[in-house]
Amino acid sequence: MKELSWNAAQREFCIKTAPSYEWRQQMDFLRHYPPDCLYRYREGQLERAVDFGNFSWLITVRPARQGELVVRCLNGEPTQTERRQLAAFVSDWLDLKRDITPFYRIAEKDPLLGASVKKYRGLRIFALPDLFEALCWSIIGQQVNISFAYTLKNRFVETFGSFILWQEEKHWLFPLPALIAKLSLDDLTPLKLSRAKAGYLIGIAQAITQGELNKEALLHEADTSAMAKRLMQFKGVGQWTADYVLMKALLQPDAFPVGDAGVQNAVKTILGRSEKPSEKELREWALSWQGWEAYATLYLWRTLFAE
C-alpha cells in the first residue's frame, strides 16, 4: 500500500483500499458490538490512539473518494517514517490490503455464505494488529458472553493502560506487556478475572517481554498450522484462541476458528437446525472455502446480527 499526498495544513494523508472494500459495511458491523474503550466511532469516523514506543499518536480515519481513506493526526505532525507506520497500522487494523474478490467467487455459490456475501459485500476483518492485545483479548473472552468480555477488557485497559488526553477525553492505549509481566495474580483478580486467566495474561506478557513470543517470528512459520502449534505452547492458548489470533492479529486468510460458538450458531440458523453442527461437519463444509476460511468465518458472524 502506497501513501498518497501529505496535507500539512490538516495533518492528514490518504491511503488506498483494496478492491471491494466498503467502509459502511465495516462500520455497520462494529456498531453491533459493546463499547470498546480503545476506539470510538462517531460523526462518520473512527478515533483511536496508537503507540509506536517513542510517541503515541491520536488519529482519526474516515472515508474519502472510492478506494481511499483519510488518516488525520490530531496531536502533532508525524515524520514521513511515522506516517508510513501509521498507514501500515491502519491498513492492518481495517484489513485494507487483501483483494478478496477470489473469495467472493467461491462464496457466492456456497449455500452457507451466498446470501451474506451478497448482502454485506465489502465487509472486512476488524483486526487486532498488536499480538499481545489479540492474545489478551482472546484469553479474556474465553467461556464468557461477549458483553462481559468487553467489560473485562475495558477494566483491564483502564486499570493498567495509559491514555492520551484530548479535548478532555481519555483515548486509551492497551497495556504494555512489560507492565503486565510484573503483576501478581492478586493485581488482576479484582477486575473479576479468574485466577487462571490472570495467570495466563501474566505468562503471555512475560513470554513477549522475554522475546519467547513475537509476531514477526510467528509470521515466518511455514503455515498457519505451524503458527497455531507455536502459540499453543503457551498456557491459556488452546486451539480456538490460536485460530482467533491467527485470524485477527496475523491476518491469515485460511485461519478457521472451527470451535467458535458464533460460527456454530450461524450455521445452525442458516440451515434451520435445532442442533449446532459438529466441528467435523464444519471442517467438511470448509473444504470448499479452502484458503479463505477466515473470511467465511467473518461473514457467518455477520449473519448473527442480521437486521
Side-chain angles (χ1 to χ4, degrees):
M1 178 176 295
K2 293 182 179 180
E3 179 183 323
L4 302 182
S5 58
W6 167 246
N7 182 330
Q10 297 296 322
R11 296 202 299 263
E12 62 187 30
F13 60 91
C14 291
I15 53 177
K16 291 186 177 180
T17 67
S20 77
Y21 175 81
E22 289 291 340
W23 170 269
R24 179 184 61 82
Q25 292 287 7
Q26 202 168 30
M27 297 307 107
D28 281 350
F29 191 31
L30 286 186
R31 69 183 175 84
H32 289 91
Y33 285 92
D36 189 318
C37 68
L38 290 172
Y39 67 86
R40 294 180 176 89
Y41 178 61
R42 58 186 175 188
E43 298 179 358
Q45 63 184 13
L46 280 168
E47 301 175 5
R48 76 165 292 165
V50 184
D51 180 54
F52 292 133
N54 59 335
F55 195 80
S56 298
W57 294 99
L58 180 59
I59 63 171
T60 64
V61 185
R62 68 180 191 275
R65 297 182 294 272
Q66 182 66 31
E68 292 181 7
L69 298 179
V70 176
V71 180
R72 186 179 185 190
C73 305
L74 299 181
N75 63 328
E77 182 169 337
T79 65
Q80 186 176 33
T81 297
E82 289 165 335
R83 294 199 296 271
R84 285 197 293 267
Q85 288 178 307
L86 286 167
F89 174 84
V90 172
S91 179
D92 283 347
W93 182 34
L94 300 181
D95 188 25
L96 303 180
K97 295 178 185 176
R98 197 182 311 277
D99 180 2
I100 63 172
T101 305
F103 163 69
Y104 288 135
R105 287 197 290 268
I106 294 170
E108 285 166 354
K109 304 172 185 177
D110 188 276
L112 289 179
L113 303 175
S116 62
V117 296
K118 180 179 180 180
K119 186 172 183 180
Y120 306 115
R121 191 180 185 91
L123 175 64
R124 294 301 184 104
I125 293 169
F126 192 70
L128 300 167
D130 180 73
L131 178 64
F132 181 57
E133 179 185 342
L135 282 163
C136 288
W137 176 220
S138 58
I139 289 169
I140 288 169
Q142 290 171 0
Q143 298 179 327
V144 297
N145 67 58
I146 192 69
S147 179
F148 187 53
Y150 272 91
T151 297
L152 290 175
K153 175 187 174 182
N154 289 339
R155 286 176 187 165
F156 181 70
V157 172
E158 293 173 0
T159 302
F160 300 108
S162 58
F163 60 85
I164 295 173
L165 186 64
W166 181 260
Q167 295 182 345
E168 300 183 353
E169 287 187 314
K170 293 178 179 178
H171 296 262
W172 289 94
L173 291 156
F174 201 78
L176 295 174
L179 186 154
I180 304 303
K182 297 176 182 178
L183 298 180
S184 69
L185 298 182
D186 291 337
D187 292 320
L188 288 170
T189 51
L191 305 182
K192 303 303 181 184
L193 286 164
S194 68
R195 293 185 72 82
K197 286 186 180 181
Y200 299 155
L201 296 177
I202 292 169
I204 290 293
Q206 291 171 343
I208 289 178
T209 302
Q210 294 164 8
E212 298 173 14
L213 180 59
N214 68 78
K215 187 173 181 178
E216 291 71 24
L218 283 168
L219 289 170
H220 279 90
E221 294 284 356
D223 52 30
T224 52
S225 178
M227 293 178 196
K229 185 176 179 180
R230 172 62 178 151
L231 283 167
M232 288 190 291
Q233 292 176 0
F234 298 91
K235 286 185 178 181
V237 183
Q239 187 67 59
W240 175 85
T241 299
D243 291 335
Y244 184 87
V245 171
L246 288 171
M247 176 181 174
K248 296 279 280 185
L250 303 180
L251 290 175
Q252 298 301 297
D254 60 341
F256 185 32
V258 68
D260 184 79
V263 171
Q264 295 168 356
N265 284 325
V267 173
K268 170 188 167 183
T269 301
I270 292 169
L271 296 178
R273 294 184 179 177
S274 59
E275 300 292 332
K276 294 179 183 178
S278 67
E279 290 190 13
K280 180 177 182 294
E281 189 176 8
L282 284 174
R283 291 190 188 280
E284 290 173 354
W285 274 102
L287 290 174
S288 61
W289 312 332
Q290 195 165 16
W292 296 102
E293 292 90 338
Y295 290 92
T297 297
L298 173 67
Y299 279 82
L300 289 171
W301 282 343
R302 184 63 182 89
T303 66
L304 297 172
F305 303 114
E307 286 80 9

